[in-house]
Amino acid sequence: FNVVHTVIEAMRTLKFKGPYPYHFDGKMEKSYMLRFLIHMVGDQHQPLHVATRCTPKLPECDAGGNKFPISDPAKELHALWDWAMSKKNVDFKKRPLDQSSIDYYE
C-alpha cells in the first residue's frame, strides 16, 4: 500500500459511525488510524511512500523501497532516504529566515 491508499482508508475509518461488529466501539480502530494518518501526511515528502517498484525479478514489488537492497550501511533504499532526511544530516534553516538564509536559498 502507499500513502494515497492509506489516507483514503484512514479517512474512511475515522468517518465511520458504526455499527461495529463484535461489540467494538471503534475507539481503538480510530485511534490507530488517526496515528497512521498523521504519520502518512507528515511523510508525504518521502517519495517511496507513494511508489512501488515491481519488476520480473521482484514480482511481489519492493514495498516502498524496503525490499530494494543497496550497497550502503542503510542496507535498503527506504532506510537510506529516511536517514538522509533526518535532522542530523540536513542543514535546516531557522524560521523566520534571516538575510543569510534567504541568500543561501537564492
Side-chain angles (χ1 to χ4, degrees):
F1 297 110
N2 60 33
V3 71
V4 175
H5 173 82
T6 302
V7 167
I8 291 169
E9 287 301 310
M11 295 301 296
R12 187 181 338 214
T13 300
L14 293 169
K15 290 178 181 180
F16 186 68
K17 304 256 189 252
Y20 295 93
Y22 310 110
H23 307 290
F24 291 129
D25 62 6
K27 289 180 182 177
M28 182 189 71
E29 292 84 355
K30 288 185 177 191
S31 172
Y32 177 79
M33 289 309 274
L34 179 60
R35 180 184 172 279
F36 216 58
L37 178 64
I38 291 167
H39 174 83
M40 287 292 124
V41 170
D43 270 359
Q44 286 187 46
H45 70 277
Q46 172 32 307
L48 297 170
H49 281 184
V50 295
T52 298
R53 181 175 176 260
C54 301
T55 67
K57 289 183 179 180
L58 194 62
E60 69 278 3
C61 305
D62 72 355
N66 286 305
K67 295 180 182 177
F68 189 88
I70 56 173
S71 299
D72 184 88
K75 305 256 190 278
E76 42 90 0
L77 188 59
H78 193 114
L80 177 65
W81 177 274
D82 288 345
W83 174 83
M85 294 306 292
S86 72
K87 286 186 175 187
K88 296 175 195 169
N89 301 301
V90 176
D91 182 21
F92 289 103
K93 299 295 181 183
K94 292 180 183 176
R95 301 291 193 265
L97 295 176
D98 60 17
Q99 189 59 47
S100 67
S101 297
I102 293 169
D103 294 341
Y104 171 85
Y105 285 116
E106 291 178 340

